Amino acid sequence: FDLSKKLFSIEIVEDEKGANGWHRDVRLFHIYEEGVINEEAIGSFYFDPYQRLQKDMGCFAMSIEHIRKPSSKPLIAISMDINPPMWEDSVQTMDVQNVTNLFHEFGHSLQHLLGDVKLGAYSGAQLIEEDASEVISQFMEYWLFEGGMLQSISSHIESGEPLPLEAVNLIQQQRKATKANELLHRLFLGQLEVELNTTFDPHGDDSIISLQRKLAEKYCPHHLPPKGNIDPLIQIFQSNASGRSTQQYRYLFSELISADAFDAFLDNDGQILEDKVLRSRGMEFRKHFLNGGSKRSTIDAFKQFRGRQMNSTALLSRYDL
């Protein structure tokens, strides 16, 4: 919440009357422009943090109410899969992946909550291009691993001490290694999907299995599928059958944009900008990427924000590639 206030000049306040939601764990929050919390909220979201029986697994953010007329406000639900505390008075703990997921889904929510578009169909993230749908969520993830954020939001369950710097460094190194491998895997799956739907000849000399093997050897030779394993192909066929074509490309292209956009918040030494400049840069980001909803393309939003075309330098350097 402090990060959102610093970047986008908003204040997030929990509803004092309670959520009156679908479960007693659900909480309701309202978003206001900074300094005007006594006025009408610009949007609200329900927060459903814990795993439970008969609840969908995984993490997601979904719109409950879009802007349909000037008097309506966006309403979002954020659902997480955090293990609930054993007892009602137990201290709740979260691991790094839980927190990463929370930053990610909150990014999706910001697209809906901060859209300032009169025509409802273009508000929020409703019509954002499929291959740019993960830009804001990935952008928010980066903040968790920069500028001392991990230490500032962590505390030992008993002593209350923040996460030691040595542990933070290990977490950052692990993330770099994991994300670098993930990038290579997405390149493999993305290229496999493209070739299956363009140049691959099912009646030709090469089988679909040999195509999978050839591309795996090129993009991720350190983690080849076992002989006879067709899980990568199944993953592509399943995503295509459910209407999510170019699934891997979506994440790749989104991360290319988000990494380059995030680079605008770092100085020449790779450190987070000082607060005054950071706030100004954050409001520019809000103006171009969030306020506009879907009324302009993500590429145009990026050009207006950065003043140039995007490139892959920021993404590759982020993971030491």
Side-chain angles (χ1 to χ4, degrees), residues 82-121:
I82 303 167
N83 287 325
M86 184 171 293
W87 309 107
E88 289 190 1
D89 60 350
S90 299
V91 176
Q92 177 57 46
T93 60
M94 297 172 65
D95 60 30
V96 175
Q97 190 58 55
N98 289 149
V99 183
T100 304
N101 291 341
L102 179 56
F103 273 60
H104 184 99
E105 298 307 332
F106 192 69
H108 282 305
S109 299
L110 288 173
Q111 289 183 281
H112 294 279
L113 294 166
L114 298 185
D116 185 20
V117 180
K118 303 304 180 186
L119 183 58

Side-chain angles (χ1 to χ4, degrees), residues 4-5 7-11 32-34 279 283 286:
S4 297
K5 181 177 181 179
L7 289 177
F8 307 126
S9 295
I10 58 175
E11 296 190 52
Y32 302 87
E33 296 290 357
E34 186 177 5
R279 180 180 289 265
M283 290 304 291
R286 176 181 172 179

Side-chain angles (χ1 to χ4, degrees), residues 19 24 28 31 66 74 86 121 142 152 156 164 199 203-204 261 290 298 314:
R24 61 187 177 88
L28 176 62
I31 295 185
H66 299 295
M86 184 171 293
Y142 295 144
S152 70
H156 192 275
T199 61
H203 304 293
L290 297 173
T298 305

